Amino acid sequence: MKMFDLSGRIAIVTGGNRGIGFSISRGLAEAGATVVIANRHAEEGEKAAASLLGAGLKAVAIPLDVTSDASIQKMTAEVVRKFGKIDILVNNAGIVIRKKAEDYTPQDWEAIMNTNLRGMFFCCQEVGREMMRQGKGKIINIGSVVSVVAQSERGVYAISKAGVAHLTRSLALEWAKYRINVNAIGPGATLTDINRTYLKEHPEVLQAFINDIPMGRIGHPDDCAGAAVFLASDASDFITGQLILIDGGMTIH
Ligand SMILES: NC(=O)c1ccc[n+]([C@@H]2O[C@H](COP(=O)([O-])OP(=O)(O)OC[C@H]3O[C@@H](n4cnc5c(N)ncnc54)[C@H](OP(=O)(O)O)[C@@H]3O)[C@@H](O)[C@H]2O)c1
């Protein structure tokens, strides 16, 4: 369908090499975009890009550490030099540290905030400046169900993700005049490297998640791909500042 067609579009996906980021990268590429996979470990990014290329899709890898301003500037400049423009930015890179609120250290706080919130803001700013020059752009920030509800033993992570929801609204308000749409996707519990070991070691937490989800299962990374394609496409041109929860109904009740 033409309104979802991303042919000719250039998309950056931070943390696009695995998990939810890789599913989104593949979804955007299948819709026609050229995807720039931007994560810290260069060889993992190259491998992910190669697997998309092997499937007849368009992808490259450019290393990025979102906690480094210089790295954000370098990656953005390289994309513009290579492709001449940036149409889509998916801010997906994220980390979690699970602790009781009373046990978090200042170092934990900084690590989480620097990646999930500070890094996201400055990726938006650097790429947003380019989109302003172009007069159009689509930014998709990956939040979480904990952008809107609290969960135990991941308080600082949840605070960072609540920040993602408001960062999204703030930038959407300021950048609407540049025709830059800024929206967010909030996945519910989804099996990826971020929680695989933890959920294996805590099957009771996995069961509690499933019990809480009306659709009766936890998420698969591919569950987020469709919403990302929609928010990256012309089909969502009049939608901005929104958070779409992809949680099997977890936050209904
Ligand atoms: N899985 C869930 O249940 C769930 C639920 C809600 C929201 N989310 C969110 O979804 C997003 C993706 O998570 P995931 O579950 O797919 O986890 P994942 O498999 O651990 O992927 C995290 C990605 O982020 C990248 N990354 C981490 N720090 C980075 C940095 N400083 N600079 C650049 N890239 C960095 C990682 O690549 P490198 O290590 O190579 O840099 C990796 O590609 C995160 O924002 C997460 O908070 C996940």
Side-chain angles (χ1 to χ4, degrees):
M1 212 178 168
K2 202 167 171 300
M3 69 167 76
F4 297 102
D5 184 15
L6 300 180
S7 299
R9 311 276 167 94
I10 305 300
I12 298 168
V13 182
T14 73
N17 57 305
R18 57 185 154 91
I20 292 171
F22 182 69
S23 284
I24 290 175
S25 296
R26 192 173 50 216
L28 297 177
E30 282 173 353
T34 297
V35 176
V36 177
I37 292 178
N39 62 293
R40 288 170 301 183
H41 301 96
E43 65 296 345
E44 285 183 27
E46 294 289 350
K47 222 170 113 187
S51 85
L52 295 181
L53 287 170
L57 303 170
K58 298 187 200 77
V60 296
I62 299 179
L64 167 71
D65 181 348
V66 300
T67 66
S68 156
D69 301 340
S71 177
I72 294 171
Q73 287 156 15
K74 189 160 175 260
M75 182 278 301
T76 306
E78 199 170 333
V79 177
V80 174
R81 191 182 51 75
K82 243 189 175 74
F83 299 107
K85 62 169 185 166
I86 305 167
D87 301 294
I88 300 156
L89 168 67
V90 182
N91 283 304
N92 162 82
I95 59 165
V96 69
I97 298 173
R98 295 178 195 82
K99 284 186 180 176
K100 292 187 170 70
E102 59 269 33
D103 293 335
Y104 275 109
T105 64
Q107 290 74 24
D108 295 331
W109 174 279
E110 275 154 30
I112 293 169
M113 291 297 173
N114 283 347
T115 304
N116 297 4
L117 201 49
R118 186 186 186 282
M120 182 179 285
F121 179 82
F122 286 103
C123 283
C124 286
Q125 188 190 68
E126 192 64 19
V127 175
R129 286 174 177 147
E130 191 51 41
M131 291 174 168
M132 281 174 209
R133 275 191 281 275
Q134 296 167 198
K136 188 168 167 66
K138 300 275 188 173
I139 296 179
I140 301 160
N141 298 324
I142 305 304
S144 165
V145 287
V146 300
S147 295
V148 294
V149 298
Q151 280 177 359
S152 296
E153 299 192 13
R154 42 183 76 60
V156 177
Y157 174 76
I159 295 165
S160 77
K161 291 297 185 178
V164 168
H166 210 66
L167 179 160
T168 299
R169 286 186 284 266
S170 295
L171 296 184
L173 179 66
E174 286 198 40
W175 292 354
K177 61 175 177 281
Y178 303 111
R179 292 206 306 147
I180 299 173
N181 302 66
V182 188
N183 289 293
I185 289 174
T190 304
L191 196 61
T192 68
D193 291 350
I194 213 169
N195 54 23
R196 205 179 307 280
T197 307
Y198 173 77
L199 291 177
K200 208 167 172 185
E201 288 167 359
H202 298 85
E204 73 290 353
V205 175
L206 175 60
Q207 196 51 53
F209 277 144
I210 294 170
N211 293 345
D212 218 21
I213 297 172
M215 287 189 167
R217 66 167 175 86
I218 67 161
H220 184 280
D222 290 348
D223 290 322
C224 292
V229 170
F230 168 59
L231 291 174
S233 74
D234 296 346
S236 59
D237 273 356
F238 203 50
I239 299 174
T240 200
Q242 303 304 308
L243 167 68
I244 299 180
L245 298 178
I246 301 181
D247 64 356
M250 187 186 212
T251 46
I252 293 170
H253 60 129

